[in-house]
Amino acid sequence: MDFAGVLSVMGADLRRVEDRLRDETRVNYPFIGEILTELIAAGGKRLRPLLLLLAARPFDYELEQLLPAAAGVELLHTASLIHDDTIDHAELRRGRPTLNSRISTETVILFGDYIFARAAMLAAATMNPRVVGVFASTLGEICDGQLQEIFTTRQLEQSRDDYLRRIFGKTAALFAGSAEMGAILGQAAPDAVDALRRFGGDVGMAFQIIDDVLDLRENTAHLGKPSGLDLRQGTITLPTMMFVEQADGDGRELARRVIDGRASDREHEELVRAIRASDALSDALRVAECYVAGAHAALEPIPDGESRRMLAALADHSLRRTH
Amino acid sequence: MDFAGVLSVMGADLRRVEDRLRDETRVNYPFIGEILTELIAAGGKRLRPLLLLLAARPFDYELEQLLPAAAGVELLHTASLIHDDTIDHAELRRGRPTLNSRISTETVILFGDYIFARAAMLAAATMNPRVVGVFASTLGEICDGQLQEIFTTRQLEQSRDDYLRRIFGKTAALFAGSAEMGAILGQAAPDAVDALRRFGGDVGMAFQIIDDVLDLRENTAHLGKPSGLDLRQGTITLPTMMFVEQADGDGRELARRVIDGRASDREHEELVRAIRASDALSDALRVAECYVAGAHAALEPIPDGESRRMLAALADHSLRRTH
């Protein structure tokens, strides 16, 4: 089965998630409601809710109990993007102006908090204390990853472990948590819950590494945000680390200048070209492939059947994304 | 019984809350751990945890289950102060420099998020879905109050209901939620849970009105932050509303200039003096007294005994605070 097949099988359930998300836009403030509607409409492919639904599906689940959790992980994702864009002073996301570029930072902070609160209410609506526990610790891991990103900014000397830990928090934690919440709500046995959490984490790691590759490989028009933005912000990603490991003295010096924020736009473009010309992007892709292989292996204790095939297709899809 | 008596009876339990809060400072980042230790040590009288403990006490409670909830409401309070100071660009709180004046806004936003996450994990640790639900909706109410504050800034024409709704979210919601969580964990009957929620809300309303009176009545050295800060920030509080209702044309014009941010420091001081000389502060105090009377009335369905007397003393204490 391919990813289009997954979306076709899961279409009806995903539309229910969409309805639930739309319910969340009915708030007291017309202004907030409008922005929320827009943010939710601009959202991506609902990968996190999909993962949550798929993780419950091999087991004994009730869709009605999954829906608030599925909407909750999507809103948690939305809230973390809002604070992330505020922190990065980002002006574009998915080709549209960020909230941050349109309303005051103060309002954006609170708006993010408010969406966190709505997400937490959705998690609480499952009435399952373990799910709420996973939700809360996932939020902690996301903050941890974002704090790591701040503390390691412009530090070219960080280790690959620093990078992996950082992207686990930033991205993979919510994939891991979504799969774990789904499995718990499906009343899966403990080893299956662990396996699905590992699966989600591996898919999330691959997803973020691909994101970091795309940031360097694709052009601005394709990305909907400036190409090579991570470098500009001093965020060291795996392809950059791999480039620096292989580069000669000139290449390393150029990377250092760009990462330090001392470089001109021309030098920035030169570095992007040098990384593209090196083996760094394909080497980073290989690391992502290893995570996807790990995700497949994690599925071993899950009952064979359509759901497991869909999970496998979701894992493969993370490698094929181009946006 | 007076408030000192309450603290003496509850001292041992409050020390357990303190231990639990200290556990929360053991985090991966020495830097974050230090700041958290400092913030927790600088904290106030732990009124919210105390209220939570007292609300459970007339019923059938287990201290071990109350402790994470009690620490959770204090951390939620801490997190909301951090984002609040960021939003206000406040430089002082309780006579000490705010986080905001020492580290970057970006880090402060995330740091606040991180403490929200820790607070949510503590709520989840009660393993009680209703408690988690109250926790999450309280967070929503707090955000609501803070958004209201932003949207009504510098608007002299707002109604008293606008003010009351705003301070309910900003302050009273967490008092109401703390009492409700305690009552739920004490397995109180539904009418007692409702009564204690109302009690907490009324105490919180009185508490915030007194805070707004103190902001105008006391001097900078006493407050540990600039006197009349609300006016400077364009936040309309009850005493200011009451002053404007009673003032002549000159007084109203002065208030408008200050609230609009068009006034000099001298005019600001002149307005503070005019408010002090008017009946506004004592009229506002009378409103706070009404809330405390409401709080006493709410205690009616609670079994008579030491716990109820301590709750009553806590309500009275909110009127007597001078900081």
Side-chain angles (χ1 to χ4, degrees):
Chain A
M1 188 177 306
D2 66 2
F3 190 64
V6 175
L7 290 180
S8 145
V9 174
M10 299 300 292
D13 289 1
L14 283 171
R15 275 189 294 278
R16 296 288 308 281
V17 175
E18 220 53 38
D19 292 343
R20 189 73 197 234
L21 281 169
R22 213 159 18 239
D23 290 345
E24 292 301 306
T25 63
R26 292 199 196 95
V27 295
N28 280 329
Y29 310 94
F31 171 69
I32 298 281
E34 272 164 41
I35 295 180
L36 203 45
T37 303
E38 199 183 303
L39 277 174
I40 287 176
K45 300 188 214 79
R46 314 295 188 219
L47 288 181
R48 294 152 193 85
L50 176 61
L51 177 55
L52 188 146
L53 297 175
L54 288 177
R57 204 169 180 274
F59 310 102
D60 182 21
Y61 70 98
E62 276 184 56
L63 184 60
E64 291 305 324
Q65 219 196 354
L66 297 182
L67 291 174
V73 296
E74 186 68 16
L75 274 196
L76 179 53
H77 173 56
T78 306
S80 75
L81 290 185
I82 292 172
H83 279 187
D84 207 28
D85 285 342
T86 312
I87 289 160
D88 293 345
H89 309 289
E91 298 194 343
L92 286 174
R93 168 158 318 255
R94 295 179 182 136
R96 313 172 69 128
T98 60
L99 262 190
N100 199 39
S101 61
R102 289 153 57 201
I103 56 181
S104 72
T105 307
E106 294 69 30
T107 316
V108 179
I109 295 172
L110 271 179
F111 189 69
D113 288 354
Y114 187 74
I115 301 180
F116 275 129
R118 302 288 296 215
M121 280 184 255
L122 284 165
T126 64
M127 293 299 272
N128 184 311
R130 280 171 69 201
V131 166
V132 174
V134 173
F135 182 90
S137 60
T138 300
L139 173 54
E141 287 165 335
I142 294 172
C143 295
D144 185 273
Q146 290 177 322
L147 285 167
Q148 277 290 333
E149 190 165 307
I150 290 182
F151 292 151
T152 57
T153 296
R154 306 203 187 283
Q155 290 183 16
L156 205 49
E157 272 68 39
Q158 60 190 287
S159 70
R160 204 170 294 182
D161 276 355
D162 288 333
Y163 167 80
L164 295 175
R165 176 175 164 200
R166 186 146 53 78
I167 69 167
F168 180 82
K170 183 179 171 171
T171 302
L174 186 50
F175 279 80
S178 298
E180 187 178 1
M181 286 183 234
I184 291 170
L185 289 170
Q187 302 180 54
D191 67 327
V193 173
D194 290 347
L196 282 162
R197 177 173 173 82
R198 259 199 325 281
F199 171 82
D202 282 350
V203 172
M205 293 298 283
F207 189 88
Q208 184 58 48
I209 293 171
I210 298 296
D211 208 62
D212 293 342
V213 168
L214 294 175
D215 178 72
L216 288 159
R217 197 179 68 191
E218 306 298 330
N219 60 31
T220 302
H222 182 83
L223 289 171
K225 62 178 180 181
S227 182
L229 187 62
D230 290 329
L231 287 176
R232 229 178 257 282
Q233 292 173 338
T235 305
I236 323 279
T237 61
L238 187 59
T240 305
M241 282 184 173
M242 288 178 146
F243 170 78
V244 171
E245 284 164 17
Q246 301 160 1
D248 58 15
D250 287 353
R252 268 202 299 277
E253 174 52 26
L254 177 64
R256 174 163 306 284
R257 287 177 57 80
V258 171
I259 294 295
D260 284 355
R262 290 180 290 129
S264 65
D265 281 357
R266 242 188 79 150
E267 286 172 308
H268 176 266
E269 281 163 32
E270 193 188 327
L271 177 60
V272 171
R273 275 198 307 273
I275 294 175
R276 287 176 182 170
S278 76
D279 292 332
L281 296 180
S282 58
D283 288 352
L285 271 180
R286 217 149 13 238
V287 176
E289 283 162 8
C290 286
Y291 276 106
V292 171
H296 281 288
L299 290 178
E300 197 264 325
I302 307 307
D304 202 4
E306 188 187 45
S307 299
R308 191 168 114 173
R309 284 195 298 279
M310 290 199 283
L311 286 162
L314 175 63
D316 290 336
H317 174 69
S318 68
L319 286 178
R320 290 201 203 95
R321 46 192 296 253
T322 55
H323 278 89
Chain B
M1 187 177 308
D2 65 2
F3 190 64
V6 176
L7 290 180
S8 143
V9 174
M10 298 302 290
D13 290 0
L14 284 172
R15 274 189 293 278
R16 297 288 308 280
V17 175
E18 219 54 36
D19 292 342
R20 188 74 197 232
L21 282 169
R22 215 163 11 242
D23 291 345
E24 292 302 306
T25 63
R26 292 199 196 96
V27 294
N28 280 329
Y29 309 94
F31 172 68
I32 298 282
E34 272 164 41
I35 295 179
L36 203 45
T37 304
E38 199 182 304
L39 278 174
I40 288 176
K45 299 189 214 78
R46 314 296 188 217
L47 289 181
R48 295 152 192 86
L50 177 61
L51 177 54
L52 189 146
L53 296 175
L54 288 176
R57 204 168 179 274
F59 311 102
D60 181 21
Y61 70 99
E62 275 183 55
L63 184 60
E64 291 305 323
Q65 220 197 353
L66 297 182
L67 292 174
V73 296
E74 185 68 16
L75 274 196
L76 179 53
H77 173 56
T78 306
S80 75
L81 291 184
I82 291 173
H83 278 186
D84 208 30
D85 285 341
T86 311
I87 289 159
D88 294 344
H89 308 289
E91 297 193 347
L92 285 175
R93 163 145 342 241
R94 294 181 183 134
R96 314 171 68 126
T98 60
L99 262 190
N100 199 38
S101 61
R102 289 153 57 201
I103 56 181
S104 73
T105 307
E106 293 71 28
T107 316
V108 179
I109 296 173
L110 270 180
F111 189 68
D113 289 353
Y114 188 75
I115 302 180
F116 275 131
R118 302 289 297 215
M121 281 184 255
L122 283 165
T126 63
M127 293 301 271
N128 185 311
R130 281 172 68 202
V131 166
V132 173
V134 174
F135 182 90
S137 59
T138 302
L139 173 55
E141 287 164 335
I142 293 173
C143 294
D144 187 273
Q146 291 178 322
L147 285 167
Q148 278 289 334
E149 190 165 307
I150 290 183
F151 292 150
T152 57
T153 295
R154 306 204 185 283
Q155 291 183 17
L156 205 49
E157 271 68 38
Q158 61 192 285
S159 70
R160 203 169 296 183
D161 275 354
D162 289 332
Y163 167 81
L164 295 175
R165 175 174 164 201
R166 188 147 53 77
I167 69 167
F168 180 83
K170 183 180 170 170
T171 302
L174 187 50
F175 279 81
S178 298
E180 188 178 2
M181 287 184 235
I184 291 170
L185 288 170
Q187 302 180 57
D191 68 325
V193 173
D194 289 349
L196 283 161
R197 178 175 172 81
R198 261 199 324 280
F199 171 82
D202 283 349
V203 172
M205 294 298 283
F207 189 87
Q208 184 58 49
I209 294 170
I210 299 295
D211 207 62
D212 293 342
V213 169
L214 294 175
D215 178 72
L216 288 158
R217 197 179 68 192
E218 306 298 330
N219 61 30
T220 302
H222 183 81
L223 289 173
K225 61 179 181 182
S227 183
L229 186 63
D230 289 329
L231 287 176
R232 228 178 256 282
Q233 293 173 337
T235 305
I236 323 279
T237 62
L238 188 59
T240 304
M241 283 182 170
M242 290 177 145
F243 169 78
V244 171
E245 285 164 16
Q246 302 161 359
D248 58 15
D250 287 353
R252 266 202 301 279
E253 172 53 25
L254 177 63
R256 175 164 305 285
R257 288 177 55 77
V258 171
I259 293 295
D260 284 352
R262 291 182 289 128
S264 65
D265 281 357
R266 243 188 80 146
E267 286 171 306
H268 176 266
E269 282 162 33
E270 193 187 326
L271 177 60
V272 171
R273 274 197 308 274
I275 294 175
R276 286 176 184 170
S278 75
D279 292 332
L281 296 180
S282 58
D283 288 351
L285 271 179
R286 215 144 20 235
V287 177
E289 283 161 9
C290 287
Y291 277 106
V292 170
H296 282 287
L299 289 178
E300 196 264 325
I302 308 305
D304 202 5
E306 187 187 45
S307 299
R308 193 169 111 173
R309 285 196 298 281
M310 290 199 283
L311 286 161
L314 175 63
D316 291 336
H317 174 69
S318 68
L319 287 178
R320 291 203 201 94
R321 49 191 293 254
T322 56
H323 277 90

